[in-house]
Amino acid sequence: MNTPGGYQGLSTPRRRPLTPGRRDRTLPSFNSPASIRISRMLDTAYNATLDEELPGDITESITAAALKSTTDEYDPPRVWFQREEDRKQNDEFIRRLDEMVQELKRLIRDRKNEHNGEISELNDRKSRMTADMELLEKENSNILSALKDERAKETELSNDIASLQIKQKQASNSARQLLEKKRMLEQELAQRKSIIAEKRQVLAVQAAKNSPELAFFENQMGISIVGGERDILTFIFTYISLSEPSRPFSISMDLSQREYSVKKCSPVIADLQTHVDWLNASRDFFGFLKRIRRGFVEHYLNSTI
């Protein structure tokens, strides 16, 4: 609306004077209900989250709404006589309103900057979280791979343990068998020792009986018996040579088999095998020795001629 004096502006929010042409009361300051509404609108705009600055038409609509709210509360103004004072008040009101609008814009810009900063911080946090998630996924993959390897090793160890248990059982059975075999061998050894002891005792008795005969053979017939290898008896004949009575003539007999055999004869006499065959047929060992002595004598006589 146009104010008196041709000035384009806003009328001061106040009551109409009771008497035209003069003021009946002091002009109110900018704490009227309209000003309070504008402050509330500014606070609401400040607290709102906006991504962009408000366009000029929205700001003008806010200003128009504020002006409308001020004019709706009061009656249309009459003609003012104090033009200069009204113009100053209108200018002051416009200045204050512009300041509030600029403050609103500043607050919106600050809020936008803060919002952009928060978005940037959220993007950075998102990037960090994404990197952390990738790292965790990689670690999880490594852990799963390690668990798989551990399970494979566990399975292998279980198989090894089962195999070792089987081997242990087999070894235990073998040990029992070996212990049983050892016990049987010990029993057999004890029996053999007993048999050997009995044989030794028999041999000792027989040796006691044979000692006179051996002494007779050695002293009267010049025959001595020497035991060398097992089941081998060597008969040494002396007094064969008249010039060398102590010269030995020997024959070694193998007694391990039922059929006697000659192991060694020194010197070799004639018809030796014939004498051995006669021994095996007759089983007369004393007669065999006499035949051998006679063969040594013949050999000595033939060698001296």
Side-chain angles (χ1 to χ4, degrees), residues 4 11-28 74-83 85-86 89:
S11 61
T12 304
R14 58 183 177 79
R15 296 278 182 187
R16 183 176 67 250
L18 297 178
T19 304
R22 66 184 183 90
R23 307 265 181 199
D24 293 329
R25 63 181 66 184
T26 307
L27 292 175
Y74 306 101
D75 295 332
R78 305 271 180 99
V79 178
W80 306 106
F81 294 98
Q82 300 177 359
R83 297 178 180 176
E85 184 179 355
D86 290 340
Q89 290 180 357

Side-chain angles (χ1 to χ4, degrees), residues 24-148:
D24 293 329
R25 63 181 66 184
T26 307
L27 292 175
S29 61
F30 289 94
N31 56 359
S32 62
S35 299
I36 294 173
R37 288 187 179 183
I38 293 173
S39 298
R40 289 176 180 175
M41 293 174 65
L42 292 176
D43 293 337
T44 303
Y46 174 75
N47 294 326
T49 302
L50 299 177
D51 293 336
E52 295 181 356
E53 185 177 352
L54 291 176
D57 54 348
I58 297 178
T59 305
E60 292 177 359
S61 64
I62 293 174
T63 305
L67 294 176
K68 186 175 183 301
S69 63
T70 57
T71 56
D72 289 342
E73 293 185 7
Y74 306 101
D75 295 332
R78 305 271 180 99
V79 178
W80 306 106
F81 294 98
Q82 300 177 359
R83 297 178 180 176
E84 185 65 23
E85 184 179 355
D86 290 340
R87 185 182 63 77
K88 290 180 180 181
Q89 290 180 357
N90 290 336
D91 292 342
E92 181 65 18
F93 179 76
I94 292 172
R95 185 186 65 78
R96 293 285 299 277
L97 182 60
D98 290 339
E99 289 179 357
M100 287 188 289
V101 171
Q102 294 300 323
E103 182 67 16
L104 175 62
K105 291 181 179 181
R106 186 187 65 79
L107 293 175
I108 291 172
R109 285 194 300 269
D110 293 343
R111 183 57 181 170
K112 179 181 178 182
N113 293 332
E114 291 178 1
H115 180 67
N116 292 333
E118 292 176 355
I119 291 176
S120 178
E121 184 178 356
L122 289 175
N123 290 332
D124 294 339
R125 185 180 300 176
K126 179 181 178 182
S127 299
R128 290 194 299 269
M129 291 180 66
T130 302
D132 293 340
M133 287 296 294
E134 292 177 354
L135 182 60
L136 289 175
E137 289 179 356
K138 184 176 181 180
E139 292 179 355
N140 188 28
S141 178
N142 294 334
I143 291 173
L144 291 176
S145 179
L147 286 175
K148 185 177 180 181

